[in-house]
Amino acid sequence: MSVKRQSEMASPVDQQNKKKKQVRVWVDGCFDMVHFGHANAIRQAKQMGDYLIVGVHSDEEVAKHKGPPVFTDKERYEMVRAIKWVDEVVEDAPYVTTLETLDKYNCDFCVHGDDITTTADGTDTYHLVKKAGKYKECKRTEGVSTTDLVGRMLLLTRSHHQIEDKEMDKQSVGAIGQLVGSGRSSLMSNRQAPSASSPWTGVSQFLATSKKIIQFSEGKEPKQGDRIVYVAGAFDCFHLGHLEFLKKAHKEGDFLIVGLHTDVVVNRYKGSNYPIMNLNERLLSVLACRYVSEVVIGAPYAVTADLMDHFKVDIVIHGMTPIQPDEDGSDAYAEPKKRDKFKTVNSGTDLTTHTMLERIIAHRLQYEARNKKKEAKEAKIFQAMKEKEVYEVE
Ligand code: CTP
Ligand code: C5P
């Protein structure tokens, strides 16, 4: 038995101080169609302290200040809870962050991306915490926003795929009319000529780097005796169906590996302009999920003997969605079935990337109006900021 000397032991006062020193960070937002830009803000906020509380606004608050969200608050709460850097979620958080809110949850400061968020009447939602010196900024992730994802869905483009396929892209843009009817023009022009007036909302391209992948990764190896679970899929526009599925799959073992299919493979079996998010983007969304231990980037569609042996897979799991045959018509799960290592689980939700797309299309006009309003508000604020800069330099 090892005995600690008095000098090595923390006194009750030291322990108390240590407890007090825990830095508690507050982040809030709408987190609609939660994407890796949101996850990256949450990751950076967690790095600024020890304990991270995320306040998520209710549907009523979002509708009042921004426009109706695509996901319900119950869905958004669950999605944020599953992000691995989140310690606690506060439901129905107020849109304007007050000092009372920070005090109530014992938070030292609030973190937000380096863009501007305003209430319906144009007030900075963080003016109170900024004034009190309890506001810190993290870097907003360029090239991903709900606006952009909605644009990709409505326009049926494939330029976000990691393949050179311009001819097919032209054809799919030609087919837009069939899906979105006459309301496409403003989104179309938005995509072709991104607004220069607001530097935050709008369309730009996300570029993944090895640094970002490392920041999102667990970097853990399975431990001796761990039961290894393998699942594979597109995991496009990571949604509640994926989350509930991964939660169930995670319960089947100790170390969950997700095989992500390439854009070409996903496009072969899902058709149209799927995947909406390219492999790099899908990778970050899956890595941000607390149930995932490791990801195979560009996994083969068929779960082969090589793959199972290499990763020492104990069980392969699939949800209730139909499994498409491999390119040669064979069963992609023949190997795990032969080894009696295949199981299906029921995620309990029938939400898919396609039903999400349908939801968005149904809200298309409200969406366009909401984004136009958001960009116009941001442009005004940006202009005022620029004018102030010029004035101060002079
Ligand atoms: N955020 C970010 N990078 C992005 C999108 C959002 O860092 N690409 C950050 C925001 O700055 C904020 C948090 O994520 O700190 C929550 O954002 P949210 O309230 O959901 O709103 P938006 O910034 O409007 O996100 P989006 O345009 O994607 O709807
Ligand atoms: O469709 P996709 O390839 O993204 O699905 C990945 C995995 O998530 C599959 O195993 C699928 O069956 C599962 N899933 C689910 N419930 C949903 C959506 C997907 O179990 N609502």
Side-chain angles (χ1 to χ4, degrees), residues 300-331:
Y301 189 65
V303 182
T304 59
D306 269 0
L307 187 143
M308 290 192 70
D309 295 340
H310 182 84
F311 292 107
K312 300 188 173 56
V313 175
D314 293 295
I315 185 87
V316 176
I317 301 199
H318 194 274
M320 304 309 277
T321 58
I323 300 172
Q324 304 299 330
D326 202 357
E327 224 171 346
D328 61 4
S330 62
D331 178 1

Side-chain angles (χ1 to χ4, degrees), residues 232-236 239 241-242 245 261 269-270 317-321 345-347 349-353:
F235 294 92
D236 192 15
H239 54 67
H242 293 134
F245 167 71
H261 300 144
Y269 67 83
K270 296 232 170 176
I317 301 199
H318 194 274
M320 304 309 277
T321 58
V345 296
N346 190 343
S347 64
T349 155
D350 53 10
L351 189 70
T352 64
T353 307

Side-chain angles (χ1 to χ4, degrees), residues 256-260 279 282-283 286-287 292-298 311:
L256 176 62
I257 303 177
V258 177
L260 274 185
L279 181 61
R282 292 183 282 121
L283 168 65
V286 170
L287 281 176
V292 177
S293 310
E294 182 62 292
V295 175
V296 181
I297 311 168
F311 292 107

Side-chain angles (χ1 to χ4, degrees), residues 102-373:
L102 293 193
D103 284 348
K104 184 171 173 193
Y105 296 98
N106 213 1
C107 288
D108 297 272
F109 53 86
C110 158
V111 175
H112 186 262
D114 51 0
D115 56 328
I116 296 281
T117 308
T118 55
T119 59
D121 63 10
T123 314
D124 180 351
T125 47
Y126 297 101
H127 72 282
L128 297 169
V129 283
K130 278 180 182 170
K131 208 168 137 202
K134 294 196 169 205
Y135 175 83
K136 290 193 187 191
E137 255 170 18
C138 65
K139 233 177 123 24
R140 190 177 160 88
T141 308
E142 294 282 326
V144 59
S145 69
T146 312
T147 316
D148 180 36
L149 295 180
V150 171
R152 288 183 199 181
M153 289 172 179
L154 293 180
L155 290 171
L156 288 175
T157 52
R158 291 189 196 177
S159 46
H160 55 280
H161 286 187
Q162 297 184 313
I163 40 166
E164 276 295 306
D165 205 349
K166 300 218 164 58
E167 199 42 48
M168 280 166 101
D169 208 13
K170 263 190 253 157
Q171 285 170 17
S172 48
V173 169
I176 299 162
Q178 294 167 14
L179 188 66
V180 297
S182 57
R184 69 188 160 110
S185 53
S186 63
L187 263 161
M188 175 77 121
S189 54
N190 190 14
R191 186 156 184 94
Q192 284 173 343
S195 158
S197 42
S198 163
W200 304 297
T201 298
V203 179
S204 67
Q205 200 196 345
F206 171 73
L207 298 169
T209 58
S210 52
K211 185 174 160 198
K212 182 108 297 88
I213 296 171
I214 291 166
Q215 286 169 335
F216 271 59
S217 301
E218 280 289 286
K220 277 191 197 146
E221 297 273 332
K223 293 190 299 295
Q224 188 84 35
D226 270 0
R227 184 170 154 85
I228 315 281
V229 182
Y230 181 78
V231 301
F235 294 92
D236 192 15
C237 296
F238 197 80
H239 54 67
L240 200 69
H242 293 134
L243 171 59
E244 295 301 331
F245 167 71
L246 291 178
K247 221 186 255 181
K248 288 252 165 88
H250 173 257
K251 280 199 185 134
E252 297 287 329
D254 310 289
F255 194 89
L256 176 62
I257 303 177
V258 177
L260 274 185
H261 300 144
T262 63
D263 298 344
V264 177
V265 168
V266 176
N267 192 253
R268 179 182 64 74
Y269 67 83
K270 296 232 170 176
S272 184
N273 67 329
Y274 289 109
I276 302 298
M277 291 183 117
N278 68 41
L279 181 61
N280 284 336
E281 297 169 318
R282 292 183 282 121
L283 168 65
L284 294 181
S285 300
V286 170
L287 281 176
C289 176
R290 64 171 71 251
Y291 303 107
V292 177
S293 310
E294 182 62 292
V295 175
V296 181
I297 311 168
Y301 189 65
V303 182
T304 59
D306 269 0
L307 187 143
M308 290 192 70
D309 295 340
H310 182 84
F311 292 107
K312 300 188 173 56
V313 175
D314 293 295
I315 185 87
V316 176
I317 301 199
H318 194 274
M320 304 309 277
T321 58
I323 300 172
Q324 304 299 330
D326 202 357
E327 224 171 346
D328 61 4
S330 62
D331 178 1
Y333 289 89
E335 184 62 29
K337 282 178 186 166
K338 195 174 87 193
R339 297 185 186 195
D340 200 20
K341 289 185 172 179
F342 180 77
K343 190 175 170 178
T344 50
V345 296
N346 190 343
S347 64
T349 155
D350 53 10
L351 189 70
T352 64
T353 307
H354 187 72
T355 54
M356 245 180 74
L357 195 143
E358 284 177 338
R359 251 203 234 186
I360 288 162
I361 289 171
H363 290 95
R364 176 180 104 247
L365 295 176
Q366 282 168 327
Y367 236 106
E368 285 188 44
R370 170 190 134 167
N371 286 329
K372 264 192 194 153
K373 215 167 94 188

